[in-house]
Amino acid sequence: DAGITQSPRHKVTETGTPVTLRCHQTENHRYMYWYRQDPGHGLRLIHYSYGVKDTDKGEVSDGYSVSRSKTEDFLLTLESATSSQTSVYFCAMGPLREQYFGPGTRLTVT
Amino acid sequence: DQQVKQNSPSLSVQEGRISILNCDYTNSMFDYFLWYKKYPAEGPTFLISISSIKDKNEDGRFTVFLNKSAKHLSLHIVPSQPGDSAVYFCAAGYRDDKIIFGKGTRLHILP
């Protein structure tokens, strides 16, 4: 196994509530990423991190924030969830040219 | 604007035959290309890559071909096996910039 986990694996939440998804890796990789996967859109980068406290925006970052206080943990927060954020969220780690993905979190916003 | 396009949402191939998955790109600055494979309820897994300075890269049953003049790459799987049934994502990148994924092609291997 690549040593990357996500929690929770499934979550249903209501519109307007805050949600935090966690990604945990045991490989000491410097780079970590958050993607979302939607039908008809493939994988789209939300935010990424190149080290502790160093993060940057991806192509669909609006409505999301991230934090990386430890190498092993990368948190994705939806401050006020909306129905358009219903998606499958994948965390990944490693170099750009060969990323290792977590198993995903299926988030439903009702 | 889509920079990486996989125009076939799905593809069905007989077991034992060759599967060919296609990908087109628009940005001539891309200098490497990747293929990922994804099973349902799992994260994508890296399959094979190719640098823009090459036109072919082979790894077992998987070969990726790159045609830079046509801005086209393809993934060949020979012979196709039942376990190859999955969604395949093409992706492209430039230096240390973020990579761009295509929408994916679902491959069905028929018995």
Side-chain angles (χ1 to χ4, degrees):
Chain A
D1 281 13
I4 182 167
T5 58
Q6 294 183 232
S7 59
R9 294 293 313 278
H10 301 270
K11 185 167 182 69
V12 180
T13 192
E14 293 185 348
T15 298
T17 59
V19 177
T20 295
L21 307 183
R22 181 181 183 239
C23 179
H24 180 77
Q25 56 122 336
T26 57
E27 307 297 317
N28 204 35
H29 273 299
R30 183 179 163 199
Y31 288 86
M32 296 184 77
Y33 317 83
W34 275 108
Y35 292 89
R36 60 179 288 175
Q37 185 196 5
D38 304 288
H41 288 280
L43 289 157
R44 292 181 293 173
L45 183 66
I46 305 171
H47 280 281
Y48 64 103
S49 170
Y50 36 93
V52 173
K53 292 186 168 51
D54 283 327
T55 64
D56 207 346
K57 295 179 179 180
E59 62 179 301
V60 289
S61 60
D62 287 348
Y64 301 95
S65 63
V66 290
S67 66
R68 184 121 179 252
S69 58
K70 297 186 289 185
T71 299
E72 57 266 35
D73 290 323
F74 193 30
L75 304 181
L76 177 70
T77 297
L78 291 66
E79 301 291 345
S80 177
T82 67
S83 58
S84 65
Q85 293 176 312
T86 291
S87 186
V88 179
Y89 291 85
F90 289 101
C91 174
M93 65 177 179
L96 277 169
R97 300 184 185 224
E98 190 172 342
Q99 296 175 41
Y100 295 95
F101 283 81
T105 294
R106 182 173 293 277
L107 176 68
T108 303
V109 184
T110 61
Chain B
D1 185 30
Q2 267 190 277
Q3 296 189 62
V4 178
K5 302 177 186 178
Q6 294 179 258
N7 292 319
S8 298
S10 67
L11 175 69
S12 294
V13 174
Q14 208 76 35
E15 182 180 352
R17 299 288 190 108
I18 182 172
S19 295
I20 300 176
L21 295 97
N22 294 305
C23 179
D24 297 297
Y25 61 96
T26 57
N27 189 342
S28 58
M29 298 296 289
F30 288 139
D31 59 2
Y32 62 93
F33 304 88
L34 313 165
W35 285 94
Y36 279 83
K37 175 180 180 179
K38 185 185 178 305
Y39 292 121
E42 295 183 13
T45 56
F46 171 77
L47 193 56
I48 192 169
S49 65
I50 188 167
S51 165
S52 62
I53 63 172
K54 295 188 173 183
D55 55 17
K56 177 182 174 181
N57 189 26
E58 194 171 352
D59 184 1
R61 296 187 297 115
F62 303 91
T63 303
V64 57
F65 295 92
L66 176 63
N67 181 336
K68 284 200 299 182
S69 61
K71 293 192 180 69
H72 176 84
L73 64 153
S74 59
L75 174 68
H76 293 217
I77 307 174
V78 184
S80 299
Q81 298 175 353
D84 296 329
S85 292
V87 175
Y88 289 79
F89 290 100
C90 171
Y94 170 65
R95 293 189 181 176
D96 292 333
D97 202 357
K98 303 162 280 294
I99 62 173
I100 305 295
F101 284 85
K103 294 181 179 181
T105 296
R106 185 176 299 278
L107 176 64
H108 300 270
I109 303 301
L110 306 171

mmCIF file of all heavy atoms in Angstrom, chain A residues 37-79:
data_model
loop_
_atom_site.group_PDB
_atom_site.id
_atom_site.type_symbol
_atom_site.label_atom_id
_atom_site.label_comp_id
_atom_site.label_asym_id
_atom_site.label_seq_id
_atom_site.Cartn_x
_atom_site.Cartn_y
_atom_site.Cartn_z
ATOM 1 N N GLN A 37 -13.546 14.653 -8.057
ATOM 2 C CA GLN A 37 -13.911 13.946 -9.291
ATOM 3 C C GLN A 37 -15.409 14.023 -9.474
ATOM 4 O O GLN A 37 -16.175 13.627 -8.589
ATOM 5 C CB GLN A 37 -13.479 12.479 -9.256
ATOM 6 C CG GLN A 37 -13.752 11.786 -10.586
ATOM 7 C CD GLN A 37 -13.699 10.272 -10.504
ATOM 8 O OE1 GLN A 37 -13.551 9.693 -9.440
ATOM 9 N NE2 GLN A 37 -13.805 9.635 -11.651
ATOM 10 N N ASP A 38 -15.815 14.539 -10.619
ATOM 11 C CA ASP A 38 -17.226 14.667 -10.950
ATOM 12 C C ASP A 38 -17.481 14.097 -12.329
ATOM 13 O O ASP A 38 -16.612 14.188 -13.204
ATOM 14 C CB ASP A 38 -17.640 16.147 -10.935
ATOM 15 C CG ASP A 38 -17.343 16.808 -9.609
ATOM 16 O OD1 ASP A 38 -18.040 16.498 -8.646
ATOM 17 O OD2 ASP A 38 -16.399 17.631 -9.544
ATOM 18 N N PRO A 39 -18.659 13.529 -12.548
ATOM 19 C CA PRO A 39 -18.989 13.015 -13.884
ATOM 20 C C PRO A 39 -18.830 14.101 -14.937
ATOM 21 O O PRO A 39 -19.291 15.225 -14.750
ATOM 22 C CB PRO A 39 -20.456 12.597 -13.729
ATOM 23 C CG PRO A 39 -20.633 12.346 -12.281
ATOM 24 C CD PRO A 39 -19.748 13.326 -11.581
ATOM 25 N N GLY A 40 -18.146 13.765 -16.012
ATOM 26 C CA GLY A 40 -17.972 14.729 -17.093
ATOM 27 C C GLY A 40 -16.846 15.718 -16.880
ATOM 28 O O GLY A 40 -16.618 16.593 -17.716
ATOM 29 N N HIS A 41 -16.154 15.606 -15.742
ATOM 30 C CA HIS A 41 -15.068 16.554 -15.465
ATOM 31 C C HIS A 41 -13.740 15.893 -15.141
ATOM 32 O O HIS A 41 -12.737 16.565 -15.014
ATOM 33 C CB HIS A 41 -15.448 17.462 -14.298
ATOM 34 C CG HIS A 41 -16.492 18.473 -14.642
ATOM 35 N ND1 HIS A 41 -16.207 19.657 -15.309
ATOM 36 C CD2 HIS A 41 -17.821 18.481 -14.425
ATOM 37 C CE1 HIS A 41 -17.324 20.334 -15.472
ATOM 38 N NE2 HIS A 41 -18.319 19.656 -14.956
ATOM 39 N N GLY A 42 -13.712 14.618 -14.949
ATOM 40 C CA GLY A 42 -12.455 13.987 -14.577
ATOM 41 C C GLY A 42 -12.001 14.433 -13.203
ATOM 42 O O GLY A 42 -12.817 14.723 -12.323
ATOM 43 N N LEU A 43 -10.694 14.533 -13.041
ATOM 44 C CA LEU A 43 -10.102 14.954 -11.769
ATOM 45 C C LEU A 43 -9.672 16.409 -11.870
ATOM 46 O O LEU A 43 -8.946 16.786 -12.794
ATOM 47 C CB LEU A 43 -8.887 14.088 -11.440
ATOM 48 C CG LEU A 43 -9.166 12.654 -11.050
ATOM 49 C CD1 LEU A 43 -7.948 11.787 -11.299
ATOM 50 C CD2 LEU A 43 -9.571 12.578 -9.579
ATOM 51 N N ARG A 44 -10.086 17.199 -10.912
ATOM 52 C CA ARG A 44 -9.705 18.616 -10.909
ATOM 53 C C ARG A 44 -9.048 18.974 -9.586
ATOM 54 O O ARG A 44 -9.533 18.620 -8.522
ATOM 55 C CB ARG A 44 -10.937 19.496 -11.147
ATOM 56 C CG ARG A 44 -11.514 19.353 -12.541
ATOM 57 C CD ARG A 44 -12.701 20.260 -12.737
ATOM 58 N NE ARG A 44 -13.835 19.864 -11.914
ATOM 59 C CZ ARG A 44 -14.956 20.566 -11.804
ATOM 60 N NH1 ARG A 44 -15.084 21.719 -12.454
ATOM 61 N NH2 ARG A 44 -15.949 20.139 -11.047
ATOM 62 N N LEU A 45 -7.935 19.690 -9.691
ATOM 63 C CA LEU A 45 -7.143 20.042 -8.520
ATOM 64 C C LEU A 45 -7.805 21.178 -7.738
ATOM 65 O O LEU A 45 -8.132 22.224 -8.301
ATOM 66 C CB LEU A 45 -5.731 20.447 -8.949
ATOM 67 C CG LEU A 45 -4.742 20.777 -7.840
ATOM 68 C CD1 LEU A 45 -4.429 19.540 -7.010
ATOM 69 C CD2 LEU A 45 -3.460 21.352 -8.443
ATOM 70 N N ILE A 46 -7.942 20.971 -6.429
ATOM 71 C CA ILE A 46 -8.546 21.988 -5.565
ATOM 72 C C ILE A 46 -7.462 22.838 -4.909
ATOM 73 O O ILE A 46 -7.428 24.059 -5.042
ATOM 74 C CB ILE A 46 -9.414 21.333 -4.473
ATOM 75 C CG1 ILE A 46 -10.464 20.404 -5.089
ATOM 76 C CG2 ILE A 46 -10.105 22.411 -3.635
ATOM 77 C CD1 ILE A 46 -11.211 19.560 -4.070
ATOM 78 N N HIS A 47 -6.595 22.191 -4.172
ATOM 79 C CA HIS A 47 -5.465 22.840 -3.507
ATOM 80 C C HIS A 47 -4.316 21.847 -3.458
ATOM 81 O O HIS A 47 -4.529 20.638 -3.561
ATOM 82 C CB HIS A 47 -5.814 23.225 -2.064
ATOM 83 C CG HIS A 47 -6.606 24.477 -1.898
ATOM 84 N ND1 HIS A 47 -6.059 25.737 -1.947
ATOM 85 C CD2 HIS A 47 -7.936 24.650 -1.635
ATOM 86 C CE1 HIS A 47 -7.017 26.644 -1.731
ATOM 87 N NE2 HIS A 47 -8.154 25.999 -1.552
ATOM 88 N N TYR A 48 -3.121 22.363 -3.268
ATOM 89 C CA TYR A 48 -1.995 21.492 -3.069
ATOM 90 C C TYR A 48 -1.031 22.096 -2.050
ATOM 91 O O TYR A 48 -1.139 23.276 -1.707
ATOM 92 C CB TYR A 48 -1.284 21.169 -4.385
ATOM 93 C CG TYR A 48 -0.644 22.352 -5.068
ATOM 94 C CD1 TYR A 48 0.726 22.569 -5.007
ATOM 95 C CD2 TYR A 48 -1.414 23.241 -5.818
ATOM 96 C CE1 TYR A 48 1.304 23.638 -5.654
ATOM 97 C CE2 TYR A 48 -0.844 24.313 -6.461
ATOM 98 C CZ TYR A 48 0.519 24.509 -6.389
ATOM 99 O OH TYR A 48 1.096 25.577 -7.031
ATOM 100 N N SER A 49 -0.134 21.252 -1.572
ATOM 101 C CA SER A 49 0.821 21.691 -0.561
ATOM 102 C C SER A 49 2.202 21.152 -0.916
ATOM 103 O O SER A 49 2.351 20.002 -1.324
ATOM 104 C CB SER A 49 0.403 21.168 0.819
ATOM 105 O OG SER A 49 1.422 21.382 1.765
ATOM 106 N N TYR A 50 3.197 22.016 -0.750
ATOM 107 C CA TYR A 50 4.569 21.587 -1.021
ATOM 108 C C TYR A 50 5.410 21.583 0.240
ATOM 109 O O TYR A 50 6.646 21.613 0.190
ATOM 110 C CB TYR A 50 5.199 22.462 -2.116
ATOM 111 C CG TYR A 50 4.787 23.899 -2.072
ATOM 112 C CD1 TYR A 50 5.518 24.845 -1.396
ATOM 113 C CD2 TYR A 50 3.625 24.312 -2.734
ATOM 114 C CE1 TYR A 50 5.116 26.169 -1.366
ATOM 115 C CE2 TYR A 50 3.213 25.642 -2.702
ATOM 116 C CZ TYR A 50 3.959 26.564 -2.012
ATOM 117 O OH TYR A 50 3.553 27.885 -1.982
ATOM 118 N N GLY A 51 4.729 21.556 1.371
ATOM 119 C CA GLY A 51 5.426 21.451 2.641
ATOM 120 C C GLY A 51 4.546 21.968 3.763
ATOM 121 O O GLY A 51 3.468 22.534 3.519
ATOM 122 N N VAL A 52 5.012 21.774 4.983
ATOM 123 C CA VAL A 52 4.242 22.242 6.139
ATOM 124 C C VAL A 52 4.004 23.742 6.024
ATOM 125 O O VAL A 52 4.940 24.511 5.768
ATOM 126 C CB VAL A 52 4.989 21.906 7.443
ATOM 127 C CG1 VAL A 52 4.298 22.543 8.640
ATOM 128 C CG2 VAL A 52 5.080 20.390 7.626
ATOM 129 N N LYS A 53 2.770 24.114 6.161
ATOM 130 C CA LYS A 53 2.310 25.505 6.102
ATOM 131 C C LYS A 53 2.468 26.160 4.730
ATOM 132 O O LYS A 53 2.216 27.350 4.588
ATOM 133 C CB LYS A 53 2.995 26.360 7.178
ATOM 134 C CG LYS A 53 2.585 25.991 8.594
ATOM 135 C CD LYS A 53 3.165 26.963 9.605
ATOM 136 C CE LYS A 53 2.580 26.827 10.993
ATOM 137 N NZ LYS A 53 2.558 25.502 11.551
ATOM 138 N N ASP A 54 2.889 25.397 3.724
ATOM 139 C CA ASP A 54 3.009 25.925 2.358
ATOM 140 C C ASP A 54 1.931 25.305 1.482
ATOM 141 O O ASP A 54 2.003 24.111 1.160
ATOM 142 C CB ASP A 54 4.388 25.602 1.771
ATOM 143 C CG ASP A 54 5.459 26.514 2.313
ATOM 144 O OD1 ASP A 54 5.152 27.688 2.588
ATOM 145 O OD2 ASP A 54 6.596 26.047 2.452
ATOM 146 N N THR A 55 0.938 26.114 1.124
ATOM 147 C CA THR A 55 -0.142 25.612 0.286
ATOM 148 C C THR A 55 -0.421 26.594 -0.841
ATOM 149 O O THR A 55 -0.033 27.766 -0.769
ATOM 150 C CB THR A 55 -1.433 25.394 1.103
ATOM 151 O OG1 THR A 55 -1.896 26.659 1.608
ATOM 152 C CG2 THR A 55 -1.198 24.444 2.267
ATOM 153 N N ASP A 56 -1.108 26.107 -1.859
ATOM 154 C CA ASP A 56 -1.455 26.970 -2.981
ATOM 155 C C ASP A 56 -2.754 26.489 -3.608
ATOM 156 O O ASP A 56 -3.178 25.347 -3.387
ATOM 157 C CB ASP A 56 -0.335 26.995 -4.012
ATOM 158 C CG ASP A 56 -0.303 28.288 -4.809
ATOM 159 O OD1 ASP A 56 -1.301 29.053 -4.757
ATOM 160 O OD2 ASP A 56 0.705 28.550 -5.482
ATOM 161 N N LYS A 57 -3.357 27.358 -4.406
ATOM 162 C CA LYS A 57 -4.653 27.044 -4.999
ATOM 163 C C LYS A 57 -4.500 26.266 -6.289
ATOM 164 O O LYS A 57 -3.548 26.469 -7.053
ATOM 165 C CB LYS A 57 -5.401 28.351 -5.289
ATOM 166 C CG LYS A 57 -5.759 29.148 -4.059
ATOM 167 C CD LYS A 57 -6.474 30.430 -4.440
ATOM 168 C CE LYS A 57 -6.857 31.234 -3.201
ATOM 169 N NZ LYS A 57 -7.545 32.489 -3.546
ATOM 170 N N GLY A 58 -5.498 25.398 -6.531
ATOM 171 C CA GLY A 58 -5.601 24.720 -7.805
ATOM 172 C C GLY A 58 -6.646 25.392 -8.672
ATOM 173 O O GLY A 58 -6.976 26.561 -8.466
ATOM 174 N N GLU A 59 -7.193 24.648 -9.621
ATOM 175 C CA GLU A 59 -8.101 25.260 -10.588
ATOM 176 C C GLU A 59 -9.515 25.451 -10.079
ATOM 177 O O GLU A 59 -10.270 26.246 -10.643
ATOM 178 C CB GLU A 59 -8.124 24.428 -11.884
ATOM 179 C CG GLU A 59 -8.629 23.011 -11.696
ATOM 180 C CD GLU A 59 -8.654 22.227 -13.010
ATOM 181 O OE1 GLU A 59 -9.340 22.653 -13.942
ATOM 182 O OE2 GLU A 59 -8.002 21.173 -13.066
ATOM 183 N N VAL A 60 -9.917 24.738 -8.998
ATOM 184 C CA VAL A 60 -11.287 24.871 -8.486
ATOM 185 C C VAL A 60 -11.264 25.107 -6.974
ATOM 186 O O VAL A 60 -11.895 24.390 -6.210
ATOM 187 C CB VAL A 60 -12.144 23.629 -8.842
ATOM 188 C CG1 VAL A 60 -12.441 23.586 -10.326
ATOM 189 C CG2 VAL A 60 -11.468 22.332 -8.397
ATOM 190 N N SER A 61 -10.571 26.123 -6.533
ATOM 191 C CA SER A 61 -10.344 26.350 -5.104
ATOM 192 C C SER A 61 -11.447 27.148 -4.407
ATOM 193 O O SER A 61 -11.500 27.162 -3.169
ATOM 194 C CB SER A 61 -9.005 27.059 -4.909
ATOM 195 O OG SER A 61 -9.007 28.301 -5.588
ATOM 196 N N ASP A 62 -12.318 27.796 -5.149
ATOM 197 C CA ASP A 62 -13.352 28.628 -4.513
ATOM 198 C C ASP A 62 -14.238 27.786 -3.601
ATOM 199 O O ASP A 62 -14.770 26.756 -3.997
ATOM 200 C CB ASP A 62 -14.220 29.307 -5.587
ATOM 201 C CG ASP A 62 -13.489 30.425 -6.283
ATOM 202 O OD1 ASP A 62 -12.416 30.823 -5.788
ATOM 203 O OD2 ASP A 62 -13.996 30.898 -7.316
ATOM 204 N N GLY A 63 -14.415 28.261 -2.355
ATOM 205 C CA GLY A 63 -15.267 27.559 -1.392
ATOM 206 C C GLY A 63 -14.525 26.536 -0.553
ATOM 207 O O GLY A 63 -15.123 25.902 0.309
ATOM 208 N N TYR A 64 -13.222 26.401 -0.803
ATOM 209 C CA TYR A 64 -12.403 25.427 -0.076
ATOM 210 C C TYR A 64 -11.196 26.120 0.550
ATOM 211 O O TYR A 64 -10.642 27.058 -0.019
ATOM 212 C CB TYR A 64 -11.873 24.350 -1.012
ATOM 213 C CG TYR A 64 -12.900 23.556 -1.751
ATOM 214 C CD1 TYR A 64 -13.283 23.917 -3.040
ATOM 215 C CD2 TYR A 64 -13.487 22.424 -1.181
ATOM 216 C CE1 TYR A 64 -14.224 23.180 -3.746
ATOM 217 C CE2 TYR A 64 -14.422 21.674 -1.887
ATOM 218 C CZ TYR A 64 -14.783 22.059 -3.167
ATOM 219 O OH TYR A 64 -15.710 21.325 -3.855
ATOM 220 N N SER A 65 -10.777 25.604 1.700
ATOM 221 C CA SER A 65 -9.513 26.017 2.295
ATOM 222 C C SER A 65 -8.787 24.765 2.757
ATOM 223 O O SER A 65 -9.394 23.696 2.900
ATOM 224 C CB SER A 65 -9.740 26.975 3.469
ATOM 225 O OG SER A 65 -10.465 26.336 4.507
ATOM 226 N N VAL A 66 -7.484 24.881 2.947
ATOM 227 C CA VAL A 66 -6.677 23.737 3.366
ATOM 228 C C VAL A 66 -5.734 24.160 4.467
ATOM 229 O O VAL A 66 -5.443 25.339 4.664
ATOM 230 C CB VAL A 66 -5.862 23.135 2.198
ATOM 231 C CG1 VAL A 66 -6.751 22.426 1.192
ATOM 232 C CG2 VAL A 66 -5.013 24.203 1.529
ATOM 233 N N SER A 67 -5.246 23.161 5.187
ATOM 234 C CA SER A 67 -4.209 23.418 6.181
ATOM 235 C C SER A 67 -3.270 22.233 6.247
ATOM 236 O O SER A 67 -3.684 21.081 6.050
ATOM 237 C CB SER A 67 -4.821 23.700 7.556
ATOM 238 O OG SER A 67 -5.460 22.551 8.059
ATOM 239 N N ARG A 68 -2.015 22.527 6.492
ATOM 240 C CA ARG A 68 -0.985 21.493 6.607
ATOM 241 C C ARG A 68 -0.059 21.897 7.746
ATOM 242 O O ARG A 68 0.924 22.593 7.546
ATOM 243 C CB ARG A 68 -0.209 21.370 5.298
ATOM 244 C CG ARG A 68 0.811 20.231 5.318
ATOM 245 C CD ARG A 68 0.535 19.249 4.247
ATOM 246 N NE ARG A 68 1.500 18.168 4.226
ATOM 247 C CZ ARG A 68 2.429 18.018 3.300
ATOM 248 N NH1 ARG A 68 2.526 18.912 2.325
ATOM 249 N NH2 ARG A 68 3.247 16.991 3.333
ATOM 250 N N SER A 69 -0.396 21.437 8.949
ATOM 251 C CA SER A 69 0.397 21.774 10.119
ATOM 252 C C SER A 69 1.454 20.710 10.410
ATOM 253 O O SER A 69 2.403 20.954 11.169
ATOM 254 C CB SER A 69 -0.514 21.958 11.344
ATOM 255 O OG SER A 69 -1.251 20.771 11.580
ATOM 256 N N LYS A 70 1.268 19.524 9.823
ATOM 257 C CA LYS A 70 2.238 18.446 9.967
ATOM 258 C C LYS A 70 2.457 17.821 8.599
ATOM 259 O O LYS A 70 1.544 17.826 7.764
ATOM 260 C CB LYS A 70 1.727 17.369 10.929
ATOM 261 C CG LYS A 70 1.515 17.832 12.352
ATOM 262 C CD LYS A 70 1.144 16.663 13.260
ATOM 263 C CE LYS A 70 -0.246 16.167 12.956
ATOM 264 N NZ LYS A 70 -0.660 15.095 13.924
ATOM 265 N N THR A 71 3.624 17.272 8.356
ATOM 266 C CA THR A 71 3.914 16.648 7.062
ATOM 267 C C THR A 71 2.872 15.600 6.698
ATOM 268 O O THR A 71 2.461 15.489 5.555
ATOM 269 C CB THR A 71 5.302 15.993 7.080
ATOM 270 O OG1 THR A 71 6.280 16.995 7.320
ATOM 271 C CG2 THR A 71 5.599 15.285 5.764
ATOM 272 N N GLU A 72 2.442 14.824 7.682
ATOM 273 C CA GLU A 72 1.589 13.681 7.391
ATOM 274 C C GLU A 72 0.117 14.004 7.197
ATOM 275 O O GLU A 72 -0.627 13.172 6.702
ATOM 276 C CB GLU A 72 1.728 12.622 8.493
ATOM 277 C CG GLU A 72 1.422 13.115 9.895
ATOM 278 C CD GLU A 72 2.661 13.558 10.648
ATOM 279 O OE1 GLU A 72 3.576 14.120 10.002
ATOM 280 O OE2 GLU A 72 2.712 13.361 11.876
ATOM 281 N N ASP A 73 -0.323 15.187 7.570
ATOM 282 C CA ASP A 73 -1.749 15.503 7.503
ATOM 283 C C ASP A 73 -2.040 16.708 6.624
ATOM 284 O O ASP A 73 -1.398 17.761 6.751
ATOM 285 C CB ASP A 73 -2.316 15.780 8.903
ATOM 286 C CG ASP A 73 -2.383 14.536 9.754
ATOM 287 O OD1 ASP A 73 -2.676 13.466 9.199
ATOM 288 O OD2 ASP A 73 -2.151 14.642 10.973
ATOM 289 N N PHE A 74 -3.046 16.551 5.768
ATOM 290 C CA PHE A 74 -3.469 17.625 4.870
ATOM 291 C C PHE A 74 -4.990 17.684 4.964
ATOM 292 O O PHE A 74 -5.673 16.727 4.608
ATOM 293 C CB PHE A 74 -3.008 17.313 3.445
ATOM 294 C CG PHE A 74 -3.114 18.456 2.483
ATOM 295 C CD1 PHE A 74 -3.001 19.778 2.878
ATOM 296 C CD2 PHE A 74 -3.290 18.206 1.118
ATOM 297 C CE1 PHE A 74 -3.073 20.821 1.972
ATOM 298 C CE2 PHE A 74 -3.371 19.239 0.196
ATOM 299 C CZ PHE A 74 -3.257 20.545 0.630
ATOM 300 N N LEU A 75 -5.505 18.776 5.491
ATOM 301 C CA LEU A 75 -6.931 18.898 5.743
ATOM 302 C C LEU A 75 -7.596 19.789 4.694
ATOM 303 O O LEU A 75 -7.048 20.834 4.324
ATOM 304 C CB LEU A 75 -7.177 19.514 7.127
ATOM 305 C CG LEU A 75 -6.548 18.801 8.327
ATOM 306 C CD1 LEU A 75 -6.899 19.521 9.613
ATOM 307 C CD2 LEU A 75 -6.987 17.352 8.392
ATOM 308 N N LEU A 76 -8.759 19.366 4.249
ATOM 309 C CA LEU A 76 -9.566 20.153 3.308
ATOM 310 C C LEU A 76 -10.842 20.572 4.024
ATOM 311 O O LEU A 76 -11.558 19.721 4.556
ATOM 312 C CB LEU A 76 -9.918 19.318 2.076
ATOM 313 C CG LEU A 76 -10.825 19.987 1.047
ATOM 314 C CD1 LEU A 76 -10.079 21.107 0.310
ATOM 315 C CD2 LEU A 76 -11.348 18.965 0.031
ATOM 316 N N THR A 77 -11.127 21.867 4.040
ATOM 317 C CA THR A 77 -12.304 22.372 4.736
ATOM 318 C C THR A 77 -13.240 23.079 3.768
ATOM 319 O O THR A 77 -12.798 23.910 2.963
ATOM 320 C CB THR A 77 -11.908 23.337 5.867
ATOM 321 O OG1 THR A 77 -11.143 22.623 6.834
ATOM 322 C CG2 THR A 77 -13.152 23.917 6.549
ATOM 323 N N LEU A 78 -14.505 22.710 3.860
ATOM 324 C CA LEU A 78 -15.563 23.433 3.174
ATOM 325 C C LEU A 78 -16.213 24.291 4.266
ATOM 326 O O LEU A 78 -16.842 23.761 5.190
ATOM 327 C CB LEU A 78 -16.605 22.479 2.587
ATOM 328 C CG LEU A 78 -16.191 21.596 1.410
ATOM 329 C CD1 LEU A 78 -15.140 20.575 1.774
ATOM 330 C CD2 LEU A 78 -17.423 20.890 0.841
ATOM 331 N N GLU A 79 -16.015 25.602 4.193
ATOM 332 C CA GLU A 79 -16.461 26.481 5.278
ATOM 333 C C GLU A 79 -17.975 26.470 5.420
ATOM 334 O O GLU A 79 -18.514 26.515 6.520
ATOM 335 C CB GLU A 79 -15.964 27.900 5.022
ATOM 336 C CG GLU A 79 -14.454 28.040 4.920
ATOM 337 C CD GLU A 79 -13.732 27.806 6.243
ATOM 338 O OE1 GLU A 79 -14.394 27.817 7.309
ATOM 339 O OE2 GLU A 79 -12.504 27.624 6.225
#
